[in-house]
Amino acid sequence: FGRFYLQELLNSGGMAEIWLATDERQKPYALRRMHQRLRFNLLARRRFMRGAEIHAKIGDHDRIIGYVEHGKIKGQPYLLMDYVEASNLKELQAQQDPVLLENVAQILIDMAEGLEHMHDNGFMHLDFKPENVLVTRNGSVRLVDFDLAQPIPTKPKKLSKKNPGTPAYMAPEQLQGEPISHRVDIFSYGVAAYELLTHQKPFPGETPGDILARQLDRSKFVAPRQINPDIPLAMEKVILRCLQRDPGARYPFMGVMV
């Protein structure tokens, strides 16, 4: 693929595939390239390239996957990133991997620091979930996938009607198509943290409507310490504040939470 040798397919999603790639000096990279079948899909191409541009603007940080370059090779959009040997948080949770048990407190802090860096640089992630959190064997975290990211507006603004994302991790205002701010990421963090510590979702549901109904009517909501009494009281308070229905009741900034 251009000047790169594709060594191993690491992952394939709806939009793109990720390869372990090497250049002529045998330096390894993670190369994300858009599926060939989407080459005439202008919306997908625009989203892929915008995500790569935002990744470039976020800037280097230990908790964000390293950006190298992006562009097109023979018309096929690609994004070149640092290669790290890691699995995503969803996979590790499913396997009940010991790396989570041994490093759970640090992972929670690192995820928050990654989001804090994004917000400090003017962008909201809008698809923060366990699949987009990589964890290395020594428990080090990297946030990935900025396809849905957008600049943080000066005041809450509505997204396009498409409203892409993952409903289980979306804040109520996002699910309802109301104006949103960076505080939707804070809500998503709360969902991911709750799930990491309890192995359950705070607002389960088969459809976006089911999930929203549980978010709005908290009568069936179970506090995390009722499921896992080992969670420190202070950590439960952090999660509960992140999960507030009203965005104004959540943390004003990730930095305050960190």
Side-chain angles (χ1 to χ4, degrees), residues 59-254:
D60 288 341
H61 190 269
D62 289 347
R63 304 291 158 245
I64 306 275
I65 195 73
Y67 167 88
V68 181
E69 64 177 58
H70 74 279
K72 293 174 189 166
I73 292 176
K74 292 185 177 171
Q76 198 168 0
Y78 77 96
L79 165 65
L80 197 66
M81 302 170 283
D82 288 347
Y83 172 69
V84 288
E85 282 198 35
S87 301
N88 73 50
L89 193 53
K90 184 178 182 182
E91 293 166 341
L92 295 173
Q93 281 178 300
Q95 296 155 8
Q96 297 187 330
D97 195 294
V99 75
L100 293 186
L101 206 57
E102 290 159 22
N103 301 285
V104 66
Q106 195 59 49
I107 288 168
L108 286 162
I109 294 168
D110 290 352
M111 292 194 314
E113 285 184 347
L115 272 180
E116 178 188 24
H117 176 76
M118 266 197 87
H119 290 180
D120 286 352
N121 283 274
F123 294 97
M124 44 190 183
H125 192 289
L126 296 185
D127 199 18
F128 184 83
K129 57 183 177 179
E131 288 102 309
N132 289 335
V133 177
L134 294 185
V135 183
T136 66
R137 290 317 303 165
N138 65 0
S140 181
V141 161
R142 304 282 189 288
L143 301 194
V144 298
D145 195 343
F146 307 102
D147 284 351
L148 301 185
Q150 292 204 16
I152 294 173
T154 47
K155 60 176 201 238
K157 74 172 223 185
K158 278 192 174 191
L159 291 176
S160 68
K161 286 191 173 64
K162 289 268 189 296
N163 199 12
T166 309
Y169 299 92
M170 281 182 170
E173 64 270 26
Q174 199 174 352
L175 281 171
Q176 289 173 299
E178 292 172 357
I180 64 158
S181 70
H182 64 284
R183 294 190 193 200
V184 296
D185 281 349
I186 295 174
F187 186 93
S188 303
Y189 174 90
V191 176
Y194 183 108
E195 191 177 10
L196 182 58
L197 295 172
T198 66
H199 305 291
Q200 295 180 29
K201 287 199 170 63
F203 310 108
E206 293 295 313
T207 66
D210 293 344
I211 293 161
L212 179 62
R214 293 289 285 260
Q215 291 176 352
L216 298 178
D217 172 15
R218 300 288 174 105
S219 59
K220 293 180 183 167
F221 178 76
V222 182
R225 276 169 56 86
Q226 287 178 254
I227 304 166
N228 177 1
D230 291 339
I231 298 170
L233 189 59
M235 184 68 220
E236 182 179 68
K237 283 182 178 170
V238 169
I239 292 171
L240 294 178
R241 186 163 175 193
C242 290
L243 294 178
Q244 288 294 317
R245 189 168 48 200
D246 170 15
R250 295 172 212 151
Y251 290 97
F253 305 106
M254 281 304 294

